[in-house]
């Protein structure tokens, strides 16, 4: 919890070194993930050349796209020192809402489906935001509750019903599988979400306020930042992006039931944490979260290609979370020590 | 604390007392309205169903009162169950397997405790990590298969009742443990240290309480009890599976908070928590008898969880407003 407070004073030294690095886009954590990714891909490819086939890469990218969109929303919330565990359920609600709408209106354009998904997700996000803001209870408890409430609502609505690919309009399924200039639509959307969120968080006042809130809520309040309003906005963004992810999920798989996205929250939190977003706010980037999503997806398909028991995947996710927060702690202790040393010379 | 509050209001405002009253009311209404709810057979099932939640809720109360959380309990239950099945497959005698499983639970808890108290990592993040890790290991150990054919003597005792009555045998260890945990929390220095650590960790440390050591042992106990719940779960359904108890951490946390324990630490009572467990189990049991689907029950659990954390805040604000009006 103290990590962020301790790290804060180093911003000056970081902005100096920024000139020499790749535009400061990548911090040490991101570089580490990229290295791990390269090593993993290289090793897996030498074991089985199938891993680098076009189809395999496509699958990895499509899987990453959905997870990355969710992880961007999660990063936005976690930066404010909150957490949104309900994203998997929101994805399920949105996917089923869009699926049943398309089932009834075969001519509905994809963009309308996206808007509906965003609206459903945003509504769920606003519920989370209001409960956290006005209930003054930890987001963990609220979103643990809405995780089950939203999932229950999806089951209530869907019953045992399942929407199959042959009931969905062709143009929607094509959207899930086709590409533009060689880039699948899903990946394109994920990249747009990443870039927009990354720029807003990094360069705009609205984004910087979220970091300030996460570093020290009291100080942010004193500095005149509307903490309550921003909290609701962050949950709205996370919900809306989970809604987008629901539409992407529906387009990619074509088969939707009330269990869509069940258990995703764990992978989403893992992606953000592994990508360097601190659980207690104030630091991390959406780039990191996106890379975390890519790493988790690559691990998943590596295990499959290497013929390792798929059940290892969840254990690896857990181990990665522990490793990531442990590494953060280590860095924080180091920085605190070096600061103390520097102060003693003054 | 205001002194001129009317007695009825202060009693109502004591959330855990209110939960006990609500629980009794729900029990009465359910046995009047819901068909078969009052049958002795259903009563036995109700008690057997709430057993694992009640067991795990005991140490969870301690953990949450100190201001921490343990989300890995259901995964610990699952991993213990999987290991139990694996060892049974390998032909170990059940008398060896059960103590081994309890040790395993304690070790898994100690790992949580190590991360939280020695490495000083946030317990929320740690136990989300071990939630995934332990559940993943459970699947690594046992895959998605199941191991059955545990000795009849054990399984029938776990599912059996005292005499021929409706009270399951398993209620005996539960009551014994509940009394022990209750006494420790409310009548010993250890219990006072737990509350002190939750109210203000710094103040507790100045008062000479070794907060880190206390928390470490609470995680060990939490893991040990989750391991015990895993053993009992396996014997009750005579089925060791890696997904046993999947998602149960929500029910436990919901019951504890419903019972009036503050998520911020420092506040709560064990009788309130047990009432919370009974209330949750009764509502789910009654709704299930009414043919409400398992999935729809999730709404009830989720909404109850949210209400139980919101309501104390509303009561506090309501009381503050009353006090303001009284002073002007």
């Amino acid at each position: 919890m103290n990590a962020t407070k301790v790290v804060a004073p180093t911003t000056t030294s970081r902005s100096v070194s920024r000139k020499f690095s790749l535009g400061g886009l990548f911090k040490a954590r991101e570089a580490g993930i990229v290295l791990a990714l390269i090593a993993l891909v290289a090793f897996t490819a030498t074991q089985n050349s199938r891993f680098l086939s076009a189809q395999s890469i496509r699958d990895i990218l499509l899987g990453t796209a959905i997870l990355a969109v969710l992880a961007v929303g999660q990063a936005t919330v976690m930066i404010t020192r909150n957490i949104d565990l309900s994203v998997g359920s929101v994805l399920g609600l949105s996917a089923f809402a869009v699926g049943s709408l398309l089932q009834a209106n075969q001519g509905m354009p994809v963009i309308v489906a996206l808007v509906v998904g965003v609206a459903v997700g945003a509504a769920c996000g606003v519920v989370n935001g209001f409960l956290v803001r006005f209930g003054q209870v930890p987001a963990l408890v609220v979103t643990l509750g809405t995780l089950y409430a939203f999932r229950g609502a999806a089951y209530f609505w869907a019953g045992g019903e399942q929407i199959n690919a042959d009931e969905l309009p062709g143009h929607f399924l094509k959207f899930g599988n086709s590409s533009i200039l060689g880039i699948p639509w899903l990946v394109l959307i994920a990249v747009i979400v990443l870039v927009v969120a990354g720029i807003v968080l990094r360069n705009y006042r609205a984004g910087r306020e979220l970091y300030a809130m996460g570093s020290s809520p009291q100080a942010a309040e004193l500095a005149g930042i509307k903490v309550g309003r921003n909290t609701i906005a962050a949950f709205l963004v996370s919900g809306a992006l989970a809604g987008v992810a629901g539409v992407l999920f529906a387009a990619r798989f074509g088969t939707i039931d009330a269990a869509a996205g069940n258990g995703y929250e764990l992978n989403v939190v893992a992606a953000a944490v592994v990508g360097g977003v601190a659980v207690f706010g104030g630091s991390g980037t959406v780039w990191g979260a996106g890379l975390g999503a890519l790493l988790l997806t690559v691990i998943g398909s590596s295990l499959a290609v290497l013929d390792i028991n798929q059940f290892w995947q969840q254990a690896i996710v857990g181990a990665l979370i522990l490793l990531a927060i442990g590494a953060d702690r280590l860095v924080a202790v180091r920085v605190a020590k070096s600061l103390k040393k520097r102060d003693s010379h003054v | 604390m205001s002194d001129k509050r009317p007695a009825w209001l202060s009693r109502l405002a004591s959330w855990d007392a209110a939960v006990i009253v609500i629980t009794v009311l729900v029990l009465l209404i359910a046995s009047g309205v819901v068909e078969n709810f009052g049958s002795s057979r259903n009563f036995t099932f109700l008690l057997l169903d709430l057993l694992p939640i009640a067991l795990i809720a005991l140490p969870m109360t301690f953990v949450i009162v100190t201001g921490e959380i343990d989300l890995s309990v259901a995964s610990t239950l699952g991993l213990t169950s999987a290991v139990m099945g694996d060892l049974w497959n390998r032909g170990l005698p059940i008398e060896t397997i059960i103590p081994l499983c309890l040790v395993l639970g304690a070790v898994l808890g100690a790992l949580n405790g190590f991360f939280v108290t020695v490495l000083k990592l946030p317990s929320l993040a740690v136990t989300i990590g071990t939630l995934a890790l332990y559940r993943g290991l459970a699947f690594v150990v046992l895959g998605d298969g199941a191991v059955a054919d545990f000795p009849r003597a054990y399984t029938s005792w776990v599912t059996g009742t005292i005499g021929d009555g409706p009270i399951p045998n398993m209620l005996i260890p539960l009551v014994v443990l509940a009394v022990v945990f209750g006494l420790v929390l409310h009548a010993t220095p250890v219990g006072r240290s737990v509350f002190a650590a939750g109210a203000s960790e710094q103040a507790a440390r100045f008062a000479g309480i070794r907060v880190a050591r206390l928390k470490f042992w609470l995680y060990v106990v939490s893991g040990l009890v989750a391991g015990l719940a895993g053993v009992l779960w396996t014997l009750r359904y005579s089925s060791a599976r890696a997904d046993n108890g999947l998602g149960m951490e929500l029910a436990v946390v919901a019951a504890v908070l419903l019972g009036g324990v503050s998520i911020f630490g420092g506040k709560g009572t064990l009788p309130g928590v047990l009432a919370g467990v009974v209330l949750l189990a009764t509502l789910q049991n009654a709704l299930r008898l009414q043919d409400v689907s398992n999935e729809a029950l999730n709404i009830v659990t989720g909404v109850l969880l949210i209400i139980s954390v919101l309501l104390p805040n509303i009561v506090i604000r309501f009381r503050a407003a009353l006090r303001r009006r009284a002073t002007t």
Side-chain angles (χ1 to χ4, degrees):
Chain A
M1 189 186 277
N2 297 324
T4 55
K5 285 180 212 150
V6 181
V7 172
T10 63
T11 41
T12 46
S13 61
R14 197 190 295 153
S15 63
V16 172
S17 66
R18 198 172 270 166
K19 284 176 202 157
F20 307 107
S21 67
L22 265 174
L25 262 182
F26 294 110
K27 292 191 295 179
R29 171 64 72 78
E30 278 99 345
I33 297 178
V34 171
L35 279 179
L37 266 170
I38 293 172
L40 183 62
V41 169
F43 175 73
T44 314
T46 58
Q47 300 298 307
N48 190 331
S49 54
R50 211 161 24 110
F51 186 61
L52 284 183
S53 71
Q55 185 56 40
S56 161
I57 291 175
R58 224 178 104 83
D59 280 345
I60 289 176
L61 287 181
L62 291 179
T64 306
I66 296 175
L67 194 57
V69 168
L70 289 167
V72 168
Q74 190 66 250
T76 310
V77 169
M78 278 169 69
I79 283 167
T80 68
R81 207 181 268 198
N82 286 297
I83 196 165
D84 185 354
L85 293 180
S86 71
V87 285
S89 303
V90 175
L91 184 155
L93 256 183
S94 149
F96 197 80
V98 169
S100 50
L101 258 180
L102 282 163
Q103 196 183 22
N105 312 289
Q106 295 280 329
M108 198 166 87
V110 171
I111 186 77
V112 179
L114 264 174
V115 170
V116 170
V118 169
V120 170
C124 293
V126 167
V127 170
N128 281 331
F130 267 86
L131 286 172
V132 172
R133 159 85 173 85
F134 292 106
Q136 287 173 355
V137 268
L140 166 76
V141 183
V142 168
T143 56
L144 199 58
T146 52
L147 182 163
Y148 284 82
F150 292 157
R151 179 67 66 194
Y155 272 106
F156 212 64
W157 183 11
E161 194 191 333
Q162 187 183 51
I163 298 172
N164 294 315
D166 56 3
E167 299 166 57
L168 291 175
H171 70 271
F172 184 68
L173 296 171
K174 227 177 105 192
F175 157 75
N177 285 305
S178 63
S179 15
I180 179 164
L181 300 173
I183 306 166
W185 275 105
L186 268 56
V187 176
L188 196 67
I189 290 177
V191 169
I192 292 172
V193 166
L194 257 171
V195 169
V196 170
I199 290 175
V200 170
L201 281 174
R202 188 179 148 81
N203 298 336
Y204 284 82
R205 189 196 163 112
R208 302 319 301 177
E209 284 189 356
L210 299 185
Y211 283 97
M213 286 164 55
S215 293
S216 170
Q218 289 93 341
E221 190 96 56
L222 287 176
I225 293 173
K226 296 207 165 59
V227 170
R229 202 191 58 186
N230 286 358
T231 304
I232 295 174
F235 276 101
L236 188 145
V237 168
S238 172
L241 288 180
V244 172
V247 182
L248 303 189
F249 184 97
R252 183 180 175 207
F253 296 106
T255 312
I256 314 149
D257 59 13
N262 209 353
Y264 264 40
E265 57 281 345
L266 204 59
N267 285 334
V268 176
V269 171
V273 169
V274 169
V277 183
V279 190
F280 284 95
S283 75
T285 62
V286 292
W287 315 114
L291 278 173
L294 182 61
L295 180 65
L296 291 187
T297 316
V298 169
I299 287 174
S301 56
S302 286
L303 289 178
V305 168
L306 294 175
D307 241 1
I308 296 174
N309 187 344
Q310 276 291 295
F311 295 129
W312 274 106
Q313 192 176 352
Q314 201 181 7
I316 291 174
V317 166
L320 275 179
I321 295 179
L322 293 174
L323 201 71
I325 56 175
D328 277 339
R329 174 77 197 160
L330 206 69
V331 170
V333 170
R334 276 250 190 87
V335 170
K337 253 188 204 148
S338 74
L339 280 178
K340 220 180 251 169
K341 219 178 266 169
R342 202 186 303 159
D343 285 346
S344 65
H345 289 298
V346 177
Chain B
M1 284 288 131
S2 137
D3 25 296
K4 275 190 276 179
R5 244 179 330 176
W8 64 267
L9 186 59
S10 74
R11 205 158 289 156
L12 185 81
S14 146
W15 175 242
D16 46 312
V19 172
I20 294 175
V21 172
I22 294 171
T23 307
V24 172
L25 281 177
V26 169
L27 273 171
L28 288 176
I29 294 171
S31 32
V33 175
V34 181
E35 207 179 332
N36 290 333
F37 180 83
S39 75
S40 70
R41 208 178 139 71
N42 185 56
F43 188 68
T44 310
F45 278 134
L46 173 66
L47 288 176
L48 278 175
D49 281 346
L50 67 77
L51 179 88
I53 298 177
L55 267 182
I56 297 176
L58 298 175
M60 184 71 89
T61 305
F62 281 63
V63 171
I64 296 184
V65 168
T66 60
E68 304 288 348
I69 198 158
D70 185 355
L71 293 179
S72 71
V73 282
S75 297
T76 303
L77 188 159
L79 180 49
T80 316
S81 180
V83 167
M84 191 172 166
D86 187 56
L87 293 179
W88 181 247
N89 262 352
R90 288 166 196 268
L92 257 69
I94 192 91
E95 290 79 13
T96 319
I97 293 177
I98 292 178
L100 278 179
C101 284
L102 297 184
V103 170
L104 172 68
V107 169
L108 297 177
L111 193 65
N112 281 332
F114 172 78
F115 280 120
V116 173
T117 62
V118 179
L119 300 186
K120 298 196 172 59
L121 300 175
S123 61
L124 165 64
V126 166
T127 56
I128 284 183
T130 50
L131 181 154
L133 178 65
Y134 297 168
R135 182 67 71 185
L137 290 177
F139 277 106
V140 170
V141 168
L142 208 58
D144 45 15
V147 179
D149 73 329
F150 289 99
R152 271 300 289 266
Y154 284 83
T155 54
S156 61
W157 189 81
V158 168
T159 51
T161 57
I162 301 170
D164 272 333
I167 302 201
N169 292 326
M170 289 312 305
L171 205 63
I172 304 170
L174 174 63
V175 168
V176 170
L177 280 178
V179 169
V180 170
F181 275 84
L183 285 177
V184 170
L185 185 63
H186 295 297
T188 66
V190 174
R192 280 195 294 281
S193 305
V194 168
F195 281 107
S200 166
E201 185 163 344
Q202 216 162 20
R205 232 181 283 125
F206 285 141
I209 297 167
R210 290 198 237 172
V211 176
R213 205 181 61 168
L214 177 71
K215 284 182 179 173
F216 177 82
W217 285 109
L218 289 185
Y219 276 103
V220 173
V221 174
S222 177
L224 175 68
V225 172
L228 174 66
V231 170
L232 295 177
W233 182 297
T234 309
L235 290 176
R236 182 194 165 189
Y237 297 103
S238 198
S239 165
R241 292 178 56 92
D243 63 356
N244 275 349
L246 189 69
M248 211 182 74
E249 63 280 342
L250 170 86
V252 175
V253 171
V256 170
L257 298 183
L258 196 59
V261 176
S262 163
I263 187 74
F264 299 107
K267 234 170 63 185
T269 68
L270 214 66
V273 168
L274 289 174
V277 172
V278 175
L279 178 57
L280 202 65
T282 306
L283 278 173
Q284 298 217 332
N285 179 284
L287 288 173
R288 211 172 283 143
L289 285 177
Q290 299 276 53
D291 273 338
V292 176
S293 71
N294 249 338
E295 289 76 18
L297 287 179
N298 282 338
I299 304 185
V300 177
T301 315
V303 170
L304 267 180
L305 176 61
I306 293 169
I307 291 177
S308 60
V309 288
L310 286 186
L311 212 59
N313 279 344
I314 295 170
V315 169
I316 288 169
R317 278 187 213 176
F318 178 67
R319 266 156 54 173
L322 273 187
R323 210 169 305 153
R324 261 202 310 277
R325 224 173 47 188
T327 49
T328 51

